[in-house]
Amino acid sequence: MEEMKVVLATSNRGKVEEIRRILEPFRFEIIVPEEKLRVEEKGNTFLENALIKAKAYFDRFGLPALADDSGLEVEALGGYPGVFSSRFHSLDFGGIEEVRDSEDEANVRKLLRLMKGEKNRRARFVCWVVLYTGYGGVFGYGECRGTIADSPRGEKGFGYDPVFVPEGFSRTMAEIEPEEKDSISHRGKALRNLIRTLERCRI
Amino acid sequence: MEEMKVVLATSNRGKVEEIRRILEPFRFEIIVPEEKLRVEEKGNTFLENALIKAKAYFDRFGLPALADDSGLEVEALGGYPGVFSSRFHSLDFGGIEEVRDSEDEANVRKLLRLMKGEKNRRARFVCWVVLYTGYGGVFGYGECRGTIADSPRGEKGFGYDPVFVPEGFSRTMAEIEPEEKDSISHRGKALRNLIRTLERCRI
């Protein structure tokens, strides 16, 4: 059977690397376009945002497109930053945070500021992936529960990884080896659940 | 290959009949539960609502669940009734309409009242279907463009069918034979697009 060509609907290098790694065992030929599309993520949910991105790449490149929308939900912040995770620093909620080094760093700094002294540090990473094929598609969901650390630790991963400690671990997500991260991460689970859906629905 | 057992996440008899007919050529064993679940459709989009319904039936019956969320979008009403199509009569928008005979009849009466004298009668039926398999699923989208008639005609179908004239037809959707309706309807297209997605994504 031929490999299925899939264009990745993201230009986030951390996501590209993870998705490539996680899908390695499966029969996809993954294409990462050089052109970065500006897509407005105006949906109210992760699923809607992933669909908006996948559709934009499908329309542009004429190939099945795989998009990911993911974020961090912190219990003590009523689920924030949620769908706003990647632009949390610029959100009025909790006050705007200056970007010095990178957006990731500003987001983490804001989160730690809001969580200072907070006892309830429970949080979860959630991820929705959509493979859009034109008027239809497949999706998968995954989550990873854990707690927010007091300060950033580790150099691996990206986003909020340095301040997220997965359940059953003492290391942060940024201190865990890539393969081990994939086996417990929200993105790893979401992609494997998408694959499982296809395996389950052979008609 | 065995047939795939699928529970229908609807108790709308019109939908059940159509879905059974449209999926007849495919390898599904369709189960219509006697128990009707009360599901609050609190999503902002058809896709979210279909997912909410499919999830509820999956959780209750432990089987892949197929849900449909569909509606009528009228251009002159700014896209209303949209996601509110089935309870349009009870909506503040346009004034509440008394239910005499059935909800369908009250919805149609309200629509015709709001469209009285309106020159722009363009509208479309849209449908999103979701087959949820637990942490993942498949979806399909379909639409059918047409115009709103001046008065109801025809006894077939359900919902807004008696006042919807599909493009290229002079008959309303309720005057068209079932098989012909399926070949042009939003629901027919959405279900066939779901099937096509599965056929395209054999990995």
Short mmCIF file of all heavy atoms in Angstrom, two decimals, chain B residues 19-80:
data_model
loop_
_atom_site.label_atom_id
_atom_site.label_comp_id
_atom_site.label_asym_id
_atom_site.label_seq_id
_atom_site.Cartn_x
_atom_site.Cartn_y
_atom_site.Cartn_z
N ILE B 19 -30.84 8.47 7.39
CA ILE B 19 -29.48 7.95 7.61
C ILE B 19 -29.42 6.47 7.25
O ILE B 19 -28.49 6.02 6.58
CB ILE B 19 -29.04 8.20 9.07
CG1 ILE B 19 -28.90 9.71 9.31
CG2 ILE B 19 -27.73 7.49 9.37
CD1 ILE B 19 -28.64 10.11 10.75
N ARG B 20 -30.42 5.71 7.66
CA ARG B 20 -30.49 4.28 7.30
C ARG B 20 -30.44 4.10 5.79
O ARG B 20 -29.72 3.24 5.27
CB ARG B 20 -31.82 3.68 7.79
CG ARG B 20 -31.79 3.12 9.18
CD ARG B 20 -33.09 2.32 9.37
NE ARG B 20 -33.23 1.84 10.72
CZ ARG B 20 -32.54 0.82 11.25
NH1 ARG B 20 -31.66 0.19 10.50
NH2 ARG B 20 -32.74 0.44 12.49
N ARG B 21 -31.24 4.90 5.09
CA ARG B 21 -31.34 4.79 3.63
C ARG B 21 -30.00 5.14 2.97
O ARG B 21 -29.52 4.42 2.10
CB ARG B 21 -32.43 5.77 3.18
CG ARG B 21 -33.24 5.34 1.99
CD ARG B 21 -34.49 6.21 1.90
NE ARG B 21 -34.15 7.63 1.85
CZ ARG B 21 -34.94 8.61 2.35
NH1 ARG B 21 -36.11 8.32 2.91
NH2 ARG B 21 -34.57 9.86 2.26
N ILE B 22 -29.40 6.24 3.43
CA ILE B 22 -28.16 6.72 2.80
C ILE B 22 -26.99 5.76 3.05
O ILE B 22 -26.14 5.55 2.19
CB ILE B 22 -27.82 8.15 3.29
CG1 ILE B 22 -28.92 9.12 2.88
CG2 ILE B 22 -26.47 8.61 2.75
CD1 ILE B 22 -28.89 10.45 3.63
N LEU B 23 -26.97 5.15 4.24
CA LEU B 23 -25.84 4.26 4.57
C LEU B 23 -26.06 2.83 4.12
O LEU B 23 -25.19 1.98 4.31
CB LEU B 23 -25.56 4.31 6.08
CG LEU B 23 -24.99 5.65 6.59
CD1 LEU B 23 -24.69 5.56 8.07
CD2 LEU B 23 -23.73 6.04 5.81
N GLU B 24 -27.21 2.56 3.54
CA GLU B 24 -27.57 1.20 3.12
C GLU B 24 -26.47 0.51 2.29
O GLU B 24 -26.17 -0.66 2.53
CB GLU B 24 -28.90 1.26 2.35
CG GLU B 24 -29.82 0.07 2.57
CD GLU B 24 -29.44 -1.05 1.64
OE1 GLU B 24 -29.24 -0.76 0.45
OE2 GLU B 24 -29.32 -2.22 2.11
N PRO B 25 -25.82 1.22 1.33
CA PRO B 25 -24.82 0.54 0.51
C PRO B 25 -23.53 0.21 1.26
O PRO B 25 -22.67 -0.47 0.70
CB PRO B 25 -24.49 1.55 -0.60
CG PRO B 25 -25.50 2.64 -0.50
CD PRO B 25 -26.03 2.61 0.90
N PHE B 26 -23.36 0.71 2.48
CA PHE B 26 -22.07 0.56 3.16
C PHE B 26 -22.15 -0.46 4.28
O PHE B 26 -23.22 -0.85 4.70
CB PHE B 26 -21.60 1.92 3.67
CG PHE B 26 -21.54 2.96 2.57
CD1 PHE B 26 -22.54 3.92 2.45
CD2 PHE B 26 -20.50 2.93 1.65
CE1 PHE B 26 -22.50 4.84 1.41
CE2 PHE B 26 -20.46 3.85 0.62
CZ PHE B 26 -21.46 4.82 0.50
N ARG B 27 -20.97 -0.88 4.75
CA ARG B 27 -20.91 -2.01 5.67
C ARG B 27 -21.08 -1.58 7.12
O ARG B 27 -20.18 -1.74 7.94
CB ARG B 27 -19.59 -2.77 5.48
CG ARG B 27 -19.37 -3.25 4.04
CD ARG B 27 -18.14 -4.10 3.91
NE ARG B 27 -18.22 -5.26 4.78
CZ ARG B 27 -18.89 -6.36 4.49
NH1 ARG B 27 -19.54 -6.47 3.35
NH2 ARG B 27 -18.92 -7.36 5.34
N PHE B 28 -22.24 -1.03 7.43
CA PHE B 28 -22.54 -0.68 8.81
C PHE B 28 -23.73 -1.52 9.31
O PHE B 28 -24.66 -1.78 8.56
CB PHE B 28 -22.97 0.80 8.91
CG PHE B 28 -21.86 1.77 8.63
CD1 PHE B 28 -21.87 2.53 7.48
CD2 PHE B 28 -20.80 1.92 9.52
CE1 PHE B 28 -20.85 3.44 7.21
CE2 PHE B 28 -19.78 2.82 9.26
CZ PHE B 28 -19.81 3.58 8.11
N GLU B 29 -23.66 -1.92 10.57
CA GLU B 29 -24.85 -2.46 11.21
C GLU B 29 -25.38 -1.36 12.12
O GLU B 29 -24.76 -1.02 13.12
CB GLU B 29 -24.50 -3.71 12.04
CG GLU B 29 -25.72 -4.29 12.74
CD GLU B 29 -25.35 -5.44 13.68
OE1 GLU B 29 -24.27 -6.05 13.46
OE2 GLU B 29 -26.11 -5.71 14.62
N ILE B 30 -26.52 -0.78 11.73
CA ILE B 30 -27.00 0.42 12.41
C ILE B 30 -27.97 0.06 13.53
O ILE B 30 -28.94 -0.67 13.31
CB ILE B 30 -27.63 1.39 11.40
CG1 ILE B 30 -26.51 1.96 10.54
CG2 ILE B 30 -28.40 2.50 12.10
CD1 ILE B 30 -26.97 2.76 9.39
N ILE B 31 -27.68 0.57 14.72
CA ILE B 31 -28.50 0.28 15.89
C ILE B 31 -29.20 1.56 16.33
O ILE B 31 -28.56 2.60 16.53
CB ILE B 31 -27.61 -0.28 17.02
CG1 ILE B 31 -27.12 -1.67 16.61
CG2 ILE B 31 -28.39 -0.36 18.34
CD1 ILE B 31 -25.84 -2.08 17.27
N VAL B 32 -30.53 1.48 16.44
CA VAL B 32 -31.30 2.64 16.88
C VAL B 32 -31.79 2.36 18.29
O VAL B 32 -32.67 1.51 18.48
CB VAL B 32 -32.49 2.92 15.94
CG1 VAL B 32 -33.23 4.17 16.38
CG2 VAL B 32 -32.01 3.07 14.50
N PRO B 33 -31.22 3.01 19.30
CA PRO B 33 -31.59 2.69 20.68
C PRO B 33 -33.01 3.13 20.99
O PRO B 33 -33.49 4.14 20.46
CB PRO B 33 -30.59 3.51 21.50
CG PRO B 33 -30.11 4.59 20.61
CD PRO B 33 -30.24 4.11 19.21
N GLU B 34 -33.69 2.33 21.81
CA GLU B 34 -35.05 2.72 22.20
C GLU B 34 -35.00 3.88 23.19
O GLU B 34 -35.87 4.73 23.22
CB GLU B 34 -35.78 1.53 22.83
CG GLU B 34 -36.14 0.49 21.79
CD GLU B 34 -37.08 -0.57 22.36
OE1 GLU B 34 -37.80 -0.28 23.34
OE2 GLU B 34 -37.09 -1.68 21.80
N GLU B 35 -33.95 3.86 24.01
CA GLU B 35 -33.80 4.92 25.01
C GLU B 35 -33.37 6.21 24.35
O GLU B 35 -32.44 6.25 23.56
CB GLU B 35 -32.71 4.47 26.01
CG GLU B 35 -32.49 5.45 27.13
CD GLU B 35 -31.30 5.02 28.00
OE1 GLU B 35 -30.83 3.88 27.85
OE2 GLU B 35 -30.85 5.86 28.80
N LYS B 36 -34.09 7.26 24.68
CA LYS B 36 -33.75 8.57 24.14
C LYS B 36 -32.94 9.34 25.18
O LYS B 36 -33.38 9.52 26.31
CB LYS B 36 -35.04 9.33 23.83
CG LYS B 36 -34.80 10.72 23.28
CD LYS B 36 -36.11 11.50 23.07
CE LYS B 36 -35.76 12.94 22.71
NZ LYS B 36 -36.78 13.59 21.89
N LEU B 37 -31.73 9.76 24.83
CA LEU B 37 -30.90 10.52 25.77
C LEU B 37 -31.23 12.01 25.64
O LEU B 37 -31.40 12.52 24.55
CB LEU B 37 -29.41 10.31 25.48
CG LEU B 37 -28.86 8.89 25.51
CD1 LEU B 37 -27.35 8.92 25.38
CD2 LEU B 37 -29.26 8.16 26.78
N ARG B 38 -31.30 12.66 26.78
CA ARG B 38 -31.45 14.13 26.79
C ARG B 38 -30.06 14.74 26.71
O ARG B 38 -29.28 14.64 27.64
CB ARG B 38 -32.12 14.60 28.08
CG ARG B 38 -33.61 14.54 28.07
CD ARG B 38 -34.24 15.96 28.00
NE ARG B 38 -35.58 15.88 27.44
CZ ARG B 38 -35.92 16.36 26.25
NH1 ARG B 38 -35.03 16.95 25.49
NH2 ARG B 38 -37.15 16.25 25.81
N VAL B 39 -29.72 15.34 25.59
CA VAL B 39 -28.40 15.92 25.43
C VAL B 39 -28.56 17.42 25.19
O VAL B 39 -29.32 17.83 24.32
CB VAL B 39 -27.65 15.29 24.23
CG1 VAL B 39 -26.24 15.85 24.12
CG2 VAL B 39 -27.62 13.77 24.35
N GLU B 40 -27.85 18.20 26.00
CA GLU B 40 -27.92 19.65 25.82
C GLU B 40 -26.95 20.07 24.71
O GLU B 40 -25.75 19.88 24.84
CB GLU B 40 -27.55 20.35 27.13
CG GLU B 40 -28.15 21.74 27.25
CD GLU B 40 -27.45 22.55 28.33
OE1 GLU B 40 -26.87 21.93 29.25
OE2 GLU B 40 -27.48 23.78 28.25
N GLU B 41 -27.49 20.63 23.64
CA GLU B 41 -26.65 21.04 22.50
C GLU B 41 -26.18 22.47 22.72
O GLU B 41 -26.74 23.41 22.22
CB GLU B 41 -27.45 20.91 21.21
CG GLU B 41 -27.93 19.49 20.97
CD GLU B 41 -28.75 19.34 19.69
OE1 GLU B 41 -28.61 20.18 18.79
OE2 GLU B 41 -29.54 18.39 19.61
N LYS B 42 -25.11 22.56 23.52
CA LYS B 42 -24.67 23.90 23.94
C LYS B 42 -23.50 24.42 23.11
O LYS B 42 -22.92 25.45 23.44
CB LYS B 42 -24.33 23.89 25.43
CG LYS B 42 -23.29 22.86 25.78
CD LYS B 42 -23.04 22.77 27.27
CE LYS B 42 -22.03 21.65 27.51
NZ LYS B 42 -22.04 21.06 28.80
N GLY B 43 -23.14 23.71 22.05
CA GLY B 43 -22.05 24.14 21.20
C GLY B 43 -22.42 25.37 20.37
O GLY B 43 -23.59 25.69 20.22
N ASN B 44 -21.40 26.07 19.88
CA ASN B 44 -21.63 27.23 19.02
C ASN B 44 -21.69 26.86 17.55
O ASN B 44 -21.99 27.70 16.72
CB ASN B 44 -20.50 28.26 19.20
CG ASN B 44 -20.57 28.93 20.54
OD1 ASN B 44 -21.60 29.46 20.92
ND2 ASN B 44 -19.48 28.89 21.28
N THR B 45 -21.31 25.63 17.25
CA THR B 45 -21.26 25.22 15.84
C THR B 45 -21.94 23.86 15.68
O THR B 45 -22.13 23.12 16.66
CB THR B 45 -19.80 25.08 15.37
OG1 THR B 45 -19.17 24.04 16.12
CG2 THR B 45 -19.03 26.39 15.55
N PHE B 46 -22.29 23.55 14.43
CA PHE B 46 -22.89 22.25 14.12
C PHE B 46 -21.93 21.12 14.49
O PHE B 46 -22.34 20.11 15.04
CB PHE B 46 -23.22 22.18 12.63
CG PHE B 46 -24.29 23.13 12.19
CD1 PHE B 46 -23.98 24.27 11.46
CD2 PHE B 46 -25.62 22.90 12.49
CE1 PHE B 46 -24.97 25.16 11.04
CE2 PHE B 46 -26.62 23.77 12.08
CZ PHE B 46 -26.29 24.91 11.36
N LEU B 47 -20.64 21.31 14.18
CA LEU B 47 -19.66 20.25 14.47
C LEU B 47 -19.58 19.97 15.96
O LEU B 47 -19.62 18.80 16.39
CB LEU B 47 -18.28 20.66 13.93
CG LEU B 47 -17.11 19.73 14.25
CD1 LEU B 47 -17.35 18.33 13.73
CD2 LEU B 47 -15.80 20.29 13.70
N GLU B 48 -19.52 21.03 16.77
CA GLU B 48 -19.45 20.82 18.23
C GLU B 48 -20.70 20.12 18.74
O GLU B 48 -20.63 19.22 19.58
CB GLU B 48 -19.29 22.16 18.96
CG GLU B 48 -17.93 22.83 18.78
CD GLU B 48 -16.78 22.11 19.49
OE1 GLU B 48 -17.03 21.29 20.38
OE2 GLU B 48 -15.62 22.39 19.11
N ASN B 49 -21.88 20.52 18.22
CA ASN B 49 -23.12 19.89 18.68
C ASN B 49 -23.20 18.42 18.27
O ASN B 49 -23.65 17.58 19.04
CB ASN B 49 -24.33 20.66 18.14
CG ASN B 49 -24.60 21.91 18.95
OD1 ASN B 49 -24.30 21.97 20.14
ND2 ASN B 49 -25.16 22.92 18.31
N ALA B 50 -22.76 18.13 17.05
CA ALA B 50 -22.77 16.73 16.61
C ALA B 50 -21.83 15.91 17.51
O ALA B 50 -22.17 14.79 17.92
CB ALA B 50 -22.35 16.62 15.15
N LEU B 51 -20.69 16.48 17.84
CA LEU B 51 -19.72 15.78 18.69
C LEU B 51 -20.29 15.54 20.09
O LEU B 51 -20.14 14.45 20.65
CB LEU B 51 -18.41 16.58 18.76
CG LEU B 51 -17.31 15.98 19.64
CD1 LEU B 51 -16.93 14.58 19.19
CD2 LEU B 51 -16.07 16.89 19.65
N ILE B 52 -20.95 16.55 20.66
CA ILE B 52 -21.56 16.41 21.99
C ILE B 52 -22.57 15.24 21.99
O ILE B 52 -22.58 14.41 22.90
CB ILE B 52 -22.26 17.73 22.41
CG1 ILE B 52 -21.21 18.81 22.70
CG2 ILE B 52 -23.17 17.51 23.61
CD1 ILE B 52 -21.79 20.23 22.83
N LYS B 53 -23.40 15.18 20.96
CA LYS B 53 -24.40 14.11 20.88
C LYS B 53 -23.74 12.74 20.70
O LYS B 53 -24.10 11.77 21.38
CB LYS B 53 -25.37 14.38 19.71
CG LYS B 53 -26.37 15.48 20.01
CD LYS B 53 -27.40 15.63 18.89
CE LYS B 53 -26.96 16.61 17.83
NZ LYS B 53 -28.01 16.92 16.84
N ALA B 54 -22.78 12.67 19.78
CA ALA B 54 -22.13 11.38 19.51
C ALA B 54 -21.43 10.85 20.76
O ALA B 54 -21.52 9.67 21.09
CB ALA B 54 -21.13 11.52 18.35
N LYS B 55 -20.76 11.76 21.49
CA LYS B 55 -20.06 11.39 22.72
C LYS B 55 -21.02 10.83 23.76
O LYS B 55 -20.73 9.84 24.43
CB LYS B 55 -19.40 12.63 23.32
CG LYS B 55 -17.92 12.71 23.13
CD LYS B 55 -17.40 13.95 23.83
CE LYS B 55 -15.91 13.99 23.91
NZ LYS B 55 -15.42 15.33 24.28
N ALA B 56 -22.17 11.49 23.92
CA ALA B 56 -23.16 11.05 24.91
C ALA B 56 -23.63 9.63 24.61
O ALA B 56 -23.75 8.79 25.52
CB ALA B 56 -24.34 12.02 24.93
N TYR B 57 -23.88 9.32 23.34
CA TYR B 57 -24.34 7.98 22.97
C TYR B 57 -23.21 6.95 23.07
O TYR B 57 -23.43 5.81 23.46
CB TYR B 57 -24.98 7.99 21.57
CG TYR B 57 -26.42 8.45 21.60
CD1 TYR B 57 -26.73 9.81 21.73
CD2 TYR B 57 -27.48 7.54 21.54
CE1 TYR B 57 -28.05 10.24 21.79
CE2 TYR B 57 -28.80 7.97 21.59
CZ TYR B 57 -29.08 9.31 21.71
OH TYR B 57 -30.39 9.74 21.78
N PHE B 58 -22.00 7.36 22.72
CA PHE B 58 -20.85 6.47 22.87
C PHE B 58 -20.67 6.10 24.33
O PHE B 58 -20.48 4.93 24.68
CB PHE B 58 -19.57 7.15 22.34
CG PHE B 58 -18.33 6.33 22.56
CD1 PHE B 58 -17.94 5.37 21.64
CD2 PHE B 58 -17.56 6.52 23.70
CE1 PHE B 58 -16.80 4.61 21.85
CE2 PHE B 58 -16.42 5.75 23.92
CZ PHE B 58 -16.04 4.79 22.99
N ASP B 59 -20.74 7.10 25.21
CA ASP B 59 -20.55 6.85 26.65
C ASP B 59 -21.65 5.94 27.20
O ASP B 59 -21.39 5.10 28.04
CB ASP B 59 -20.55 8.18 27.42
CG ASP B 59 -19.29 8.99 27.14
OD1 ASP B 59 -18.31 8.43 26.63
OD2 ASP B 59 -19.28 10.20 27.43
N ARG B 60 -22.88 6.12 26.72
CA ARG B 60 -24.02 5.35 27.24
C ARG B 60 -24.03 3.91 26.73
O ARG B 60 -24.33 2.97 27.47
CB ARG B 60 -25.32 6.06 26.88
CG ARG B 60 -26.60 5.32 27.22
CD ARG B 60 -26.85 5.24 28.71
NE ARG B 60 -28.01 4.41 29.00
CZ ARG B 60 -27.97 3.10 29.08
NH1 ARG B 60 -26.82 2.45 28.94
NH2 ARG B 60 -29.07 2.41 29.33
N PHE B 61 -23.70 3.73 25.43
CA PHE B 61 -23.89 2.41 24.81
C PHE B 61 -22.58 1.67 24.51
O PHE B 61 -22.60 0.51 24.12
CB PHE B 61 -24.74 2.54 23.53
CG PHE B 61 -26.13 3.06 23.80
CD1 PHE B 61 -26.46 4.39 23.55
CD2 PHE B 61 -27.10 2.22 24.35
CE1 PHE B 61 -27.74 4.87 23.82
CE2 PHE B 61 -28.38 2.69 24.62
CZ PHE B 61 -28.70 4.02 24.37
N GLY B 62 -21.45 2.37 24.67
CA GLY B 62 -20.15 1.70 24.46
C GLY B 62 -19.91 1.26 23.03
O GLY B 62 -19.17 0.30 22.80
N LEU B 63 -20.53 1.93 22.09
CA LEU B 63 -20.35 1.61 20.66
C LEU B 63 -20.02 2.89 19.90
O LEU B 63 -20.42 3.98 20.32
CB LEU B 63 -21.66 1.06 20.09
CG LEU B 63 -22.03 -0.38 20.36
CD1 LEU B 63 -23.41 -0.68 19.78
CD2 LEU B 63 -20.99 -1.34 19.77
N PRO B 64 -19.31 2.78 18.78
CA PRO B 64 -19.14 3.94 17.90
C PRO B 64 -20.51 4.59 17.65
O PRO B 64 -21.48 3.88 17.39
CB PRO B 64 -18.58 3.33 16.62
CG PRO B 64 -17.87 2.10 17.06
CD PRO B 64 -18.68 1.57 18.22
N ALA B 65 -20.57 5.89 17.78
CA ALA B 65 -21.87 6.57 17.71
C ALA B 65 -21.85 7.60 16.59
O ALA B 65 -20.90 8.37 16.44
CB ALA B 65 -22.19 7.24 19.04
N LEU B 66 -22.93 7.60 15.82
CA LEU B 66 -23.05 8.51 14.67
C LEU B 66 -24.10 9.58 14.97
O LEU B 66 -25.26 9.26 15.22
CB LEU B 66 -23.46 7.73 13.43
CG LEU B 66 -23.62 8.53 12.13
CD1 LEU B 66 -22.27 9.04 11.64
CD2 LEU B 66 -24.29 7.69 11.05
N ALA B 67 -23.68 10.84 14.96
CA ALA B 67 -24.60 11.94 15.22
C ALA B 67 -24.60 12.90 14.04
O ALA B 67 -23.64 12.99 13.28
CB ALA B 67 -24.19 12.69 16.47
N ASP B 68 -25.68 13.61 13.93
CA ASP B 68 -25.90 14.57 12.86
C ASP B 68 -26.31 15.87 13.52
O ASP B 68 -27.11 15.88 14.44
CB ASP B 68 -27.03 14.00 11.98
CG ASP B 68 -27.87 15.04 11.27
OD1 ASP B 68 -28.47 15.90 11.97
OD2 ASP B 68 -27.95 14.99 10.06
N ASP B 69 -25.72 16.98 13.09
CA ASP B 69 -26.30 18.27 13.46
C ASP B 69 -26.45 19.07 12.18
O ASP B 69 -25.50 19.18 11.40
CB ASP B 69 -25.45 19.02 14.49
CG ASP B 69 -26.31 20.04 15.26
OD1 ASP B 69 -27.35 19.64 15.81
OD2 ASP B 69 -25.95 21.23 15.28
N SER B 70 -27.65 19.56 11.98
CA SER B 70 -27.93 20.17 10.69
C SER B 70 -28.88 21.34 10.91
O SER B 70 -29.48 21.49 11.97
CB SER B 70 -28.55 19.14 9.75
OG SER B 70 -29.55 18.39 10.40
N GLY B 71 -28.99 22.18 9.90
CA GLY B 71 -29.88 23.32 10.04
C GLY B 71 -29.98 24.10 8.75
O GLY B 71 -29.34 23.78 7.74
N LEU B 72 -30.80 25.12 8.82
CA LEU B 72 -31.09 25.97 7.67
C LEU B 72 -30.47 27.34 7.91
O LEU B 72 -30.69 27.94 8.97
CB LEU B 72 -32.61 26.09 7.53
CG LEU B 72 -33.14 26.96 6.39
CD1 LEU B 72 -32.81 26.33 5.03
CD2 LEU B 72 -34.65 27.16 6.53
N GLU B 73 -29.69 27.82 6.95
CA GLU B 73 -29.11 29.16 7.06
C GLU B 73 -29.73 30.05 5.99
O GLU B 73 -29.56 29.79 4.80
CB GLU B 73 -27.58 29.10 6.90
CG GLU B 73 -26.91 28.33 8.04
CD GLU B 73 -25.39 28.25 7.91
OE1 GLU B 73 -24.87 28.53 6.82
OE2 GLU B 73 -24.74 27.88 8.91
N VAL B 74 -30.45 31.09 6.43
CA VAL B 74 -31.17 31.97 5.50
C VAL B 74 -30.39 33.29 5.39
O VAL B 74 -30.14 33.95 6.39
CB VAL B 74 -32.61 32.21 5.98
CG1 VAL B 74 -33.36 33.12 5.00
CG2 VAL B 74 -33.35 30.88 6.14
N GLU B 75 -30.03 33.64 4.16
CA GLU B 75 -29.17 34.80 3.93
C GLU B 75 -29.80 36.09 4.48
O GLU B 75 -29.14 36.85 5.19
CB GLU B 75 -28.92 34.94 2.42
CG GLU B 75 -27.60 35.59 2.07
CD GLU B 75 -27.31 35.57 0.58
OE1 GLU B 75 -26.71 34.58 0.12
OE2 GLU B 75 -27.69 36.53 -0.12
N ALA B 76 -31.08 36.31 4.18
CA ALA B 76 -31.74 37.56 4.59
C ALA B 76 -31.90 37.64 6.11
O ALA B 76 -32.16 38.72 6.66
CB ALA B 76 -33.10 37.69 3.91
N LEU B 77 -31.74 36.51 6.80
CA LEU B 77 -31.85 36.51 8.28
C LEU B 77 -30.45 36.41 8.91
O LEU B 77 -30.32 36.01 10.08
CB LEU B 77 -32.73 35.35 8.75
CG LEU B 77 -34.17 35.31 8.21
CD1 LEU B 77 -34.92 34.09 8.74
CD2 LEU B 77 -34.93 36.59 8.59
N GLY B 78 -29.44 36.76 8.14
CA GLY B 78 -28.07 36.75 8.68
C GLY B 78 -27.61 35.37 9.12
O GLY B 78 -26.82 35.23 10.06
N GLY B 79 -28.11 34.33 8.45
CA GLY B 79 -27.69 32.97 8.77
C GLY B 79 -28.63 32.23 9.74
O GLY B 79 -28.49 31.04 9.94
N TYR B 80 -29.56 32.96 10.35
CA TYR B 80 -30.56 32.29 11.20
C TYR B 80 -31.48 31.46 10.33
O TYR B 80 -31.62 31.78 9.16
CB TYR B 80 -31.40 33.35 11.95
CG TYR B 80 -30.79 33.75 13.27
CD1 TYR B 80 -29.87 34.79 13.34
CD2 TYR B 80 -31.13 33.08 14.45
CE1 TYR B 80 -29.30 35.17 14.55
CE2 TYR B 80 -30.57 33.45 15.67
CZ TYR B 80 -29.65 34.50 15.71
OH TYR B 80 -29.09 34.85 16.90
#
